Amino acid sequence: MKPIDFRSDTVTKPTPAMRRLIADAEVGDDVYGEDPTVRRLEERVAERLGLEAAVFVPSGTQANQIAIGAHCRSGDEVLTEEGSHILHYEGGAVPALWGVQPAPLPGERGLLKPETVAAAVREDNVHNPRTRLLSLENTHNRGGGTVWPVDRFRAVVEAGRKAGLAVHLDGARLFNAQVAAGKPASAWASLTDSTSVCFSKGLGAPVGSALAGKADVIREARRLRKRLGGGMRQAGILAAAALYALEHHVERLAEDHANARRLAEGLAQLPGVKVDLARVETNMVFADLVRPAAEASALLLKQGVLANPTGPHSIRLVCHLDVSTADIDDALARIRQALAS
């Protein structure tokens, strides 16, 4: 039985064409700035995002943390939505690495309102941390793969700017937002001081992210990358895969979105399963179950379907490069059988 893995869009394998580029990549020592493939990737990322420069890093977590370190100083505060990746999935790095205090704000499926941001900015007082940074996320993972409407994103950014804040965008799945909204990634990223993008999620590369931003931010980012051990040498081997993903796997994200919709509609018809179809905007499906999620995940695993619990009675299923439309139909049959047992 072929496993069908919905745990994340990070589980993909490099395609044959991507492997060929990895093997043939022109390389140099990137810490010395001598890797031509890395430089080419950084230039293209900055251009696509409408920002001045970019730096290649090993992971999305490192990209986000470097941004926080570049924008903030110890004792500062970063505003972010209460379900954000930097709060839940980065190992407590915000206070541990930078001495920065995170301030979680209530949102709607991961999206903030301008008035929420404005109200959260602290007054200049010796008792308070300095509110220094606003960190947003697009698409929003825990929100359900939510896409920020550009006008709302702009209004929230403007609220932060009015209060003197720098703005960072965790754009790990920003190209999913691009495809879903029919707008270029720069529509969001160009409004920020820094934006991270990930190549090893929906784009299907094996490793790597990039942090783009204003030139002075990226100069500092390179120093912090070195400090965190992210300076890689002949990294063009990895950058070649990321370049291929950027050039060939963005538009195909629409297939993942269509498969997620197909999966969601099929799941919604199963007894004991509830899916909010309005919440399925990109490649993620969140299903609420009558059964405990841990029990359901174990039953699904016996049928060769892998999915992660996200709560006591909820699971997340993520569509990606290695899940076809035929796999969706096969998975629905297996899930039906598993949950009937």
Side-chain angles (χ1 to χ4, degrees):
M1 181 186 294
K2 171 192 170 183
I4 304 174
D5 196 341
F6 291 112
R7 289 173 299 167
S8 178
D9 47 6
T10 62
V11 301
T12 58
K13 305 296 191 298
T15 64
M18 188 180 288
R19 288 179 184 272
R20 287 193 293 271
L21 280 185
I22 291 171
D24 295 338
E26 185 182 2
V27 299
D29 190 321
D30 181 49
V31 175
Y32 287 115
E34 295 173 355
D35 192 300
T37 308
V38 171
R39 290 204 304 267
R40 188 158 60 249
L41 173 65
E42 291 171 343
E43 290 166 1
R44 291 186 185 176
V45 169
E47 181 181 4
R48 283 208 178 201
L49 299 186
L51 292 165
E52 293 175 355
V55 59
F56 185 48
V57 299
S59 71
T61 292
Q62 189 172 105
N64 288 334
Q65 290 306 316
I66 287 173
I68 292 168
H71 292 302
C72 298
R73 297 295 175 265
S74 179
D76 287 348
E77 181 177 62
V78 53
L79 305 182
T80 190
E81 199 274 334
E82 61 191 357
S84 69
H85 195 278
I86 67 168
L87 286 181
H88 289 273
Y89 302 118
E90 299 188 6
V94 178
L97 294 178
W98 313 114
V100 171
Q101 176 172 295
L105 306 182
E108 301 166 338
R109 295 180 52 204
L111 309 186
L112 297 173
K113 295 179 178 178
E115 54 267 31
T116 303
V117 171
V121 177
R122 297 177 188 266
E123 64 175 302
D124 186 7
N125 186 296
V126 294
H127 297 88
N128 297 335
R130 291 186 179 93
T131 308
R132 186 78 72 182
L133 177 65
L134 172 64
S135 180
L136 306 171
E137 186 176 332
N138 189 26
T139 66
H140 196 285
N141 181 356
R142 285 170 68 97
T146 314
V147 177
W148 273 87
V150 172
D151 289 346
R152 180 168 180 172
F153 187 84
R154 182 182 293 106
V156 168
V157 169
E158 288 176 354
R161 296 275 189 229
K162 187 174 181 180
L165 307 184
V167 179
H168 171 65
L169 173 60
D170 175 357
R173 295 182 176 90
L174 182 58
F175 294 109
N176 288 90
Q178 170 178 306
V179 169
K183 297 180 182 297
S186 60
W188 298 275
S190 64
L191 302 175
T192 72
D193 297 288
S194 62
T195 292
S196 64
V197 291
C198 185
F199 308 113
S200 62
K201 293 190 171 71
L203 296 187
V207 177
S209 289
L211 178 68
K214 297 180 177 179
D216 60 336
V217 173
I218 300 306
R219 278 195 298 272
E220 179 65 11
R222 291 186 182 278
R223 180 188 302 275
L224 297 180
R225 182 184 69 167
K226 181 65 176 175
R227 182 183 298 171
L228 296 178
M232 300 178 285
R233 299 299 179 172
Q234 286 71 38
I237 291 172
L238 302 176
L243 267 170
Y244 184 89
L246 191 63
E247 293 172 354
H248 297 279
H249 288 172
V250 172
E251 286 72 20
R252 67 144 305 280
L253 290 171
E255 299 173 25
D256 298 341
H257 300 175
N259 282 338
R261 171 61 56 174
R262 188 182 187 92
L263 177 64
E265 291 174 350
L267 288 172
Q269 297 176 23
L270 300 181
V273 181
K274 182 180 178 182
V275 178
D276 181 357
L277 296 177
R279 192 180 179 189
V280 184
E281 296 186 35
T282 51
N283 65 326
M284 297 184 185
V285 179
F286 286 75
D288 295 321
L289 311 172
V290 173
R291 288 179 183 267
E295 176 187 325
S297 292
L299 291 170
L300 294 180
L301 184 59
K302 291 180 181 179
Q303 294 293 330
V305 177
L306 289 74
N308 285 334
T310 55
H313 288 272
S314 65
I315 60 173
R316 186 188 75 163
L317 302 98
V318 184
C319 295
H320 52 75
L321 178 66
D322 290 347
V323 173
S324 66
T325 302
D327 290 333
I328 297 295
D329 295 338
D330 188 7
L332 285 168
R334 297 189 202 182
I335 293 169
R336 183 181 297 108
Q337 182 176 346
L339 297 183
S341 61

